[in-house]
């Protein structure tokens, strides 16, 4: 009996879900996409710096310093510098 009821619910929902065929088109002049600056993952966080933070930073340490994250200290003066000299 349970199988019959489940089957009838599945069949009625399958036949009742039709997509609307609408031929109306909308043209947008400008689109702005906004998203979260911080995305929490199971193994950490992904942080997207703003354009202003990227513009006024010259390396990764400088961007981290401008993000102002709690419990994170950045010593930008004593970080190793790589000037592109590799042998």
């Amino acid at each position: 009996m349970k199988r019959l009821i489940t089957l009838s619910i599945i069949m009625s929902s399958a036949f009742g879900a039709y997509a609307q065929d609408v031929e109306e088109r909308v043209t947008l002049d400008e689109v702005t996409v906004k998203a979260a600056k911080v995305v929490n993952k199971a193994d950490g966080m992904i942080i997207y710096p703003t354009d202003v933070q990227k513009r006024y930073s010259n390396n990764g340490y400088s961007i981290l310093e401008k993000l102002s994250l709690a419990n994170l200290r950045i010593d930008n003066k004593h970080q190793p510098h790589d000037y592109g000299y590799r042998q």
Side-chain angles (χ1 to χ4, degrees):
M1 183 70 175
K2 288 183 181 180
R3 288 185 185 178
L4 182 61
I5 293 172
T6 306
L7 184 61
S8 64
I9 290 173
I10 292 173
M11 294 300 287
S12 64
S13 64
F15 292 120
Y18 290 107
Q20 296 179 355
D21 293 328
V22 178
E23 293 295 327
E24 182 178 337
R25 292 185 183 185
V26 177
T27 303
L28 301 175
D29 294 332
E30 183 177 324
V31 176
T32 302
V33 178
K34 293 186 179 183
K37 183 177 122 174
V38 178
V39 177
N40 291 316
K41 297 273 187 172
D43 59 344
M45 296 182 344
I46 299 175
I47 301 171
Y48 297 101
T50 64
D51 290 335
V52 174
Q53 290 169 333
K54 289 189 278 186
R55 188 178 321 130
Y56 290 108
S57 300
N58 55 1
N59 59 22
Y61 296 111
S62 180
I63 288 179
L64 286 173
E65 189 175 45
K66 287 172 181 45
L67 288 175
S68 300
L69 298 171
N71 300 326
L72 182 66
R73 289 183 16 207
I74 304 296
D75 188 6
N76 200 9
K77 294 178 184 173
H78 296 98
Q79 297 301 327
H81 296 284
D82 182 11
Y83 295 106
Y85 301 115
R86 301 212 175 171
Q87 295 178 352

